[in-house]
């Protein structure tokens, strides 16, 4: 596996936010690993003495509830960290990370990562900014589930996957290796609702689906129907937002 330091990293990813010197330092301390489709990177409940820096592919973040049900909470991709929460707070891992298609990653030990972050103020700031972005994403999802309808929420998730987590093939189509059920979980809607909305989008030529894969054919259309632009930064109505701030 070749060192992945000179290619462009996705906007907003942890690796992209690092200055060149810090980026190279992080990539140098990692050990390359490859995972095939459905292989597990991390297991919920395990001790967190290392993390992964993803260098290609998509990873599903899955939580198992007390009754044994599984829910897909997030998708991580190139440039993202996986497993940093348990490493930083010294508590058991809160979720399982599973490959969605082939994945390559750099495994970084806890001591090496903490030493890397401790040597640079810019690296420390990047860690803080990255963790806060994940926390904001959770807040945004909770707000969206109360304000926006299923079509807008599903369009938003598909748009995010298309823009941030997948690369177009030579034919210009974006193939995302997730199921319709997983898409519904990411958007916080019932599987039957996700299937109904996807059926309508298929009829419009916006997406196509097959076993464990959703293909995005018209990203601009998804952009037009996702959360209203003027309220995307603060999806709560003014009265509710003000009450929460107070």
């Amino acid at each position: 596996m070749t060192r992945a330091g000179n290619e462009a990293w996705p906007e907003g990813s942890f690796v992209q936010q690092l200055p060149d010197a810090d980026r190279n330092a992080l990539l140098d301390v990692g050990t390359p690993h490859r995972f095939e489709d459905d292989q597990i990177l991390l297991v919920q409940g395990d001790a967190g003495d290392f993390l992964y820096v993803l260098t290609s592919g998509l990873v599903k973040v899955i939580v198992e509830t007390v009754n044994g049900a599984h829910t897909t909470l997030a998708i991580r991709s190139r440039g993202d960290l996986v497993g940093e929460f348990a490493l930083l707070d010294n508590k058991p891992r809160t979720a399982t990370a599973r490959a969605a298609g082939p994945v390559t990653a750099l495994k970084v030990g806890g001591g090496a990562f903490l030493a890397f972050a401790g040597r640079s103020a810019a690296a420390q700031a990047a860690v803080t900014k990255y963790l806060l972005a994940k926390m904001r994403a959770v807040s945004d999802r909770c707000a969206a589930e109360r304000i926006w309808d299923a079509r807008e929420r599903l369009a938003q998730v598909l748009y995010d996957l298309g823009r941030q987590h997948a690369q177009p093939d030579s034919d210009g189509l974006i193939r995302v290796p997730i199921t319709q059920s997983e898409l519904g979980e990411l958007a916080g809607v019932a599987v039957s609702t996700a299937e109904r909305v996807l059926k309508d989008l298929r009829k419009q030529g916006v997406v196509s689906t097959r076993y464990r894969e959703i293909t995005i054919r018209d990203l601009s259309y998804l952009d037009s129907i996702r959360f209203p632009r003027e309220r995307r930064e603060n999806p709560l109505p003014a009265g509710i937002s003000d009450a929460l701030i107070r």
Side-chain angles (χ1 to χ4, degrees):
M1 188 183 302
T2 59
R3 185 175 180 276
N6 296 322
E7 300 176 23
W9 295 87
E11 186 72 25
S13 68
F14 177 74
V15 177
Q16 183 271 332
Q17 296 178 44
L18 293 171
D20 289 344
D22 290 330
R23 182 183 303 118
N24 292 334
L26 176 62
L27 299 177
D28 282 340
V29 299
T31 303
H33 286 260
R34 179 180 175 86
F35 300 90
E36 301 304 327
D37 181 41
D38 221 31
Q39 273 193 286
I40 291 176
L41 287 74
L42 306 170
V43 177
Q44 181 176 338
D46 281 0
D49 55 354
F50 66 90
L51 57 74
Y52 285 109
V53 181
L54 301 183
T55 53
S56 71
L58 302 178
V59 169
K60 294 179 288 189
V61 179
I62 303 166
V63 169
E64 182 178 0
T65 62
V66 292
N67 63 2
H70 293 79
T71 299
T72 303
L73 291 183
I75 301 289
R76 304 293 178 220
S77 64
R78 175 175 161 80
D80 283 329
L81 301 180
V82 178
E84 76 279 11
F85 275 57
L87 188 153
L88 292 172
D89 67 10
N90 199 31
K91 293 182 179 180
R93 300 201 185 279
T94 58
T96 292
R98 186 184 296 271
V103 169
T104 60
L106 297 174
K107 184 177 181 179
V108 181
F113 184 79
L114 294 176
F116 151 78
R119 286 193 297 265
S120 165
Q124 292 177 13
V127 172
T128 300
K129 182 178 179 181
Y130 185 71
L131 294 177
L132 288 174
K134 285 189 174 182
M135 295 171 65
R136 281 182 178 272
V138 173
S139 298
D140 290 346
R141 173 174 173 170
C142 291
E145 290 178 0
R146 289 160 175 78
I147 302 299
W148 310 124
D149 65 28
R151 185 168 178 264
E152 291 173 327
R153 282 146 58 190
L154 287 163
Q156 182 68 54
V157 172
L158 284 169
Y159 180 83
D160 288 342
L161 289 170
R163 286 293 302 270
Q164 302 170 14
H165 300 306
Q167 296 297 320
D169 289 342
S170 57
D171 55 9
L173 303 180
I174 302 172
R175 293 174 172 83
V176 185
I178 64 170
T179 67
Q180 297 181 49
S181 175
E182 290 166 344
L183 177 67
E185 292 170 359
L186 289 169
V189 305
V191 176
S192 58
T193 302
E195 291 173 343
R196 174 177 54 79
V197 173
L198 284 171
K199 181 179 179 180
D200 291 339
L201 293 175
R202 283 197 302 268
K203 289 180 178 178
Q204 296 172 281
V206 179
V207 302
S208 58
T209 60
R210 65 176 188 176
Y211 179 65
R212 296 184 64 186
E213 182 180 277
I214 299 174
T215 299
I216 300 172
R217 296 178 172 273
D218 192 343
L219 194 63
S220 61
Y221 182 81
L222 293 173
D223 186 21
S224 72
I225 65 171
R226 63 191 180 122
F227 302 165
R229 284 183 176 81
E230 66 275 9
R231 296 172 63 191
R232 198 169 290 144
E233 293 300 319
N234 180 19
L236 293 174
I240 297 176
S241 179
D242 292 343
L244 290 176
I245 292 172
R246 294 194 188 97

